[in-house]
Amino acid sequence: MTNSHEAGARPGRPLLWLPVQTAVVVALGLLVTGPLAHRWPLSAEDGVNRALAARRTPFATVLTDGASLLASTGSVIALTLLCTAVLLLVPHAPRWREAAFLAVAVAAQSAVFLLVTLVVNRERPDVPHLDPAPPTSSFPSGHVGASVALFGGLAVLASRRLHGVRRHLVAGLLLAIPLFVAFSRVYRGMHHTSDVVAGLLNGACTLALVAAALLPRPAEEAAPPAPAPSAHSTRRAVVVRHPRACGDGTAARVRTLLRDHGYAEQRWTETTAGDPSGALASCLGGRHPELVVVCGGDGTVRACADVVAGTGIPLAIVPCGTGNLLARNLRLPTDPVTALREALRGQAVGLDVGRIGGDGIAPTRFAVMAGAGFDAAMVRDASARLKERLGWVAYVVSAVRHLGDARMRLSVRLDGGAPLERRARMVVIGNVGTLQGGLPLLPDARPDSGRLEVVLLDPRGVTGWLAAAGYLASRAPGGRRRRASGAEAAGTRSLAHGSLEYFGAKRIDLRFARPQPRELDGDVFPAGTRLTAEVEPGALRVCLPAPAGADAPAGAGIPARAGALAGAGAPAGAGAPAGSVPPAPEDIPTRAGTPTRAGTPVRTDVPARAGGEGGGHGHRDARTAAQ
């Protein structure tokens, strides 16, 4: 997904789209009250209101009364003033732009609502009303729009300030309020269903425009000064850039940030359709760089990781793609330049990668997930235009089209054992396990475990889909995971009434009865009947941010990151600090207690960062894959 904040963009300019938004909502209202009024689904709206009115209960009436009161004009104004005052009175750090964002979002939504009601005149549902009916049009719902602007705005601010489970919990609760307000307004007979849907859209669009106009980019917020570059050496970096995902503004900021950290010698190369790594292998010839920076999405990271894995050269990820699943699982900041800044201040850590092959697939590596069936078909058929405009939501749209696809027959062989015959809609092999929105598809997957995790998804009908969705939704992101042991680890775990089945192994062989679509880290590969994946422990060194609030020198606190990764743990091994000169592949130490390939004991000392920061001592390093 391309970066939306290019250099030179004028603050406030997106607000010029508010008149266009008003015109669109007016047009929708005229359609709803005119030519579409007697067409389905609008023709069924009165039936929904009558059904809810006939099933009213005292308890539900009290709950919905509270929701309507919370979203009333007086309550929204009072809460907006209170929240704005709190943001302005934060000691030593008043949030002027965030306070303006919240206040303008609520005011702009109200202005659009009032202008629409001057043109669109729609009667309220013909059922008993539980609230006094104001003289305004029923279309759109002002209560719903106001609640989206206020509580949705608070959710946006919370997601920018909180981290981990608290971020998802607080933002989720705040976003649930407008949805409950929408239901309450229909339940209480004050609006049709289309009225509250229009209110949700009006509030969400207003919120997006005001956020784009007024909220600061994470990279613009105050940050500690960059460390001084080394006085006695010039470090070299190779930067691989996806030209569409990484805009010119982001590229300029990456270039400046690297120079500020001592990387005066930079070699930039762009990806192409035929070479997603941007000819990285040729850029590594001669003197190896101290750092490889990847500006792109998971596909670009995968292609570069395939080249860099096993060389000992640290990799820094600048997440600019549609999904950025590896960056999300490693808990990197979502802003591209902020992610790079934090990585440069952190330490290079050894992570596992998967090596995969199959008919029609030359041996290559992946860092996130490989899949076949429903998953790969969804990736294959996602609209490029929607991905550019909506990001990962485009995959959801594509997934709906494939919900009715036929099941596939396959066999699964784990670590050379007996084949297991199965039927499934999709199979996913994961090095990490969390999807967008914190959904833990593979709860036991972690990028330092020394093995890969596998899940078969085989829901039967609506009940099966609901069971699978309910199980995955119940897994709290970042929480502690129960790992299988003993016979259970060697066999299977069937969950969600058989809709999900989990395996774990160092090597997985899949055979399909018929050719199936396949994908690696979001890149589509030709359909085939085989997939073979094997883990390469600790083969890829990735620059990760230092632990939050750590006062120790860079690298000293890497073990404290345990549990910080989305896969329930941080990488166990810590390599040399980001930017230090990498050792030759044969000199990279293995896990503590094991010999290197030369047979000498593992080294436990870690060189200090150029510029004076000390390295960690005594931590077990990541394993390096055999070449």
Side-chain angles (χ1 to χ4, degrees):
M1 183 167 52
T2 55
N3 184 39
S4 61
H5 299 290
E6 300 296 344
R10 292 183 180 179
R13 191 170 183 176
L15 294 179
L16 298 177
W17 286 93
L18 284 174
V20 177
Q21 175 187 327
T22 305
V24 170
V25 179
V26 167
L28 288 175
L30 294 177
L31 288 173
V32 167
T33 57
L36 301 182
H38 301 292
R39 293 180 178 269
W40 192 89
L42 296 179
S43 60
E45 286 189 306
D46 289 336
V48 173
N49 289 104
R50 287 193 294 269
L52 289 176
R55 291 170 175 80
R56 289 171 179 168
T57 64
F59 178 74
T61 299
V62 171
L63 284 181
T64 56
D65 180 60
S68 287
L69 179 62
L70 184 64
S72 65
T73 302
S75 298
V76 168
I77 292 175
L79 289 173
T80 302
L81 291 175
L82 176 62
C83 294
T84 302
V86 170
L87 290 170
L88 294 178
L89 296 177
V90 173
H92 310 297
R95 307 291 183 185
W96 293 96
R97 293 176 73 172
E98 294 182 345
F101 156 71
L102 195 62
V104 173
V106 174
Q109 183 282 143
S110 300
V112 173
F113 161 75
L114 290 175
L115 289 173
V116 173
T117 58
L118 293 177
V119 180
V120 179
N121 184 20
R122 190 183 196 188
E123 297 294 330
R124 297 191 180 272
D126 187 20
V127 296
H129 301 158
L130 298 184
D131 293 324
T136 55
S137 170
S138 178
F139 183 97
S141 172
H143 281 64
V144 174
S147 65
V148 172
L150 173 58
F151 298 105
L154 292 175
V156 170
L157 298 182
S159 66
R160 293 166 61 89
R161 296 298 171 189
L162 302 179
H163 301 281
V165 177
R166 286 198 306 164
R167 176 185 182 182
H168 295 287
L169 181 61
V170 173
L173 290 175
L174 288 169
L175 291 175
I177 293 176
L179 297 177
F180 186 62
V181 170
F183 169 79
S184 299
R185 298 301 288 171
V186 177
Y187 173 89
R188 300 179 70 80
M190 304 308 299
H191 290 287
H192 304 88
T193 305
S194 57
D195 299 336
V196 299
V197 170
L200 290 170
L201 293 175
N202 179 39
C205 291
T206 305
L207 204 60
L209 292 176
V210 176
L214 300 181
L215 280 184
R217 297 191 297 264
E220 295 176 345
E221 299 175 350
S230 174
H232 60 273
S233 66
T234 297
R235 290 185 282 180
R236 178 171 178 257
V238 173
V239 183
V240 180
R241 174 192 175 194
H242 189 296
R244 292 187 61 186
C246 178
D248 293 338
T250 299
R253 292 158 62 201
V254 167
R255 192 185 305 273
T256 301
L257 183 60
L258 287 173
R259 188 180 299 113
D260 291 343
H261 280 76
Y263 294 95
E265 185 180 347
Q266 301 176 26
R267 180 172 180 180
W268 285 67
T269 180
E270 292 190 353
T271 66
T272 63
D275 189 352
S277 71
L280 175 59
S282 64
C283 297
L284 301 183
R287 181 168 69 91
H288 278 187
E290 283 79 14
L291 182 67
V292 170
V293 180
V294 183
C295 304
D298 288 316
T300 307
V301 174
R302 183 203 65 78
C304 294
D306 186 35
V307 176
V308 174
T311 66
I313 302 175
L315 185 75
I317 300 172
V318 181
C320 301
T322 303
N324 301 317
L325 283 182
L326 182 59
R328 292 173 188 270
N329 277 268
L330 298 178
R331 298 297 174 90
L332 297 179
T334 56
D335 178 76
V337 180
T338 303
L340 178 59
R341 178 184 294 111
E342 295 302 317
L344 293 175
R345 291 173 179 161
Q347 189 173 38
V349 175
L351 302 183
D352 304 341
V353 293
R355 187 171 184 84
I356 200 160
D359 53 322
I361 300 179
T364 186
R365 295 180 174 96
F366 70 96
V368 183
M369 298 177 187
F374 172 81
D375 172 62
M378 172 190 69
V379 174
R380 179 193 63 195
D381 295 337
S383 165
R385 179 176 297 180
L386 285 180
K387 285 197 293 183
E388 185 174 349
R389 294 181 177 180
L390 303 179
W392 62 267
V393 177
Y395 292 123
V396 178
V397 177
S398 177
V400 173
R401 298 166 53 190
H402 291 283
L403 290 177
D405 287 359
R407 300 160 67 206
M408 58 183 175
R409 295 177 57 188
L410 73 157
S411 67
V412 183
R413 187 188 297 266
L414 307 174
D415 292 331
L420 306 173
E421 302 296 330
R422 294 291 189 273
R423 285 180 178 267
R425 294 188 182 275
M426 80 173 187
V427 56
V428 173
I429 304 171
N431 186 43
V432 296
T434 302
L435 303 178
Q436 286 89 353
L439 188 67
L441 179 63
L442 291 156
D444 288 340
R446 38 184 284 179
D448 69 330
S449 63
R451 73 175 194 170
L452 300 171
E453 302 296 329
V454 187
V455 61
L456 298 180
L457 176 67
D458 189 27
R460 311 289 179 86
V462 176
T463 303
W465 283 106
L466 291 177
Y471 172 79
L472 295 176
S474 68
R475 306 289 289 179
R480 298 184 62 183
R481 313 293 188 200
R482 182 187 69 84
R483 297 188 63 85
S485 60
E488 184 184 25
T492 70
R493 286 169 289 145
S494 182
L495 301 168
H497 306 294
S499 298
L500 294 165
E501 190 172 13
Y502 289 97
F503 312 88
K506 295 181 179 179
R507 179 184 174 90
I508 298 103
D509 292 286
L510 303 176
R511 298 291 186 272
F512 308 106
R514 295 181 179 179
Q516 298 294 332
R518 299 170 294 181
E519 63 90 11
L520 305 180
D521 289 0
D523 284 342
V524 179
F525 284 75
T529 59
R530 292 191 297 110
L531 270 183
T532 300
E534 188 170 4
V535 68
E536 293 186 357
L540 181 66
R541 297 178 65 214
V542 177
C543 299
L544 298 182
D551 296 326
I558 289 297
R561 289 180 58 86
L565 297 181
S580 60
V581 178
E586 62 270 22
D587 295 330
I588 299 175
T590 58
R591 288 193 185 270
T594 62
T596 61
R597 280 184 285 176
T600 57
V602 62
R603 241 179 349 106
T604 58
D605 56 307
V606 180
R609 177 196 293 271
E613 294 182 9
H617 295 277
H619 304 318
R620 59 194 179 109
D621 207 333
R623 294 169 289 182
T624 303
Q627 296 297 306

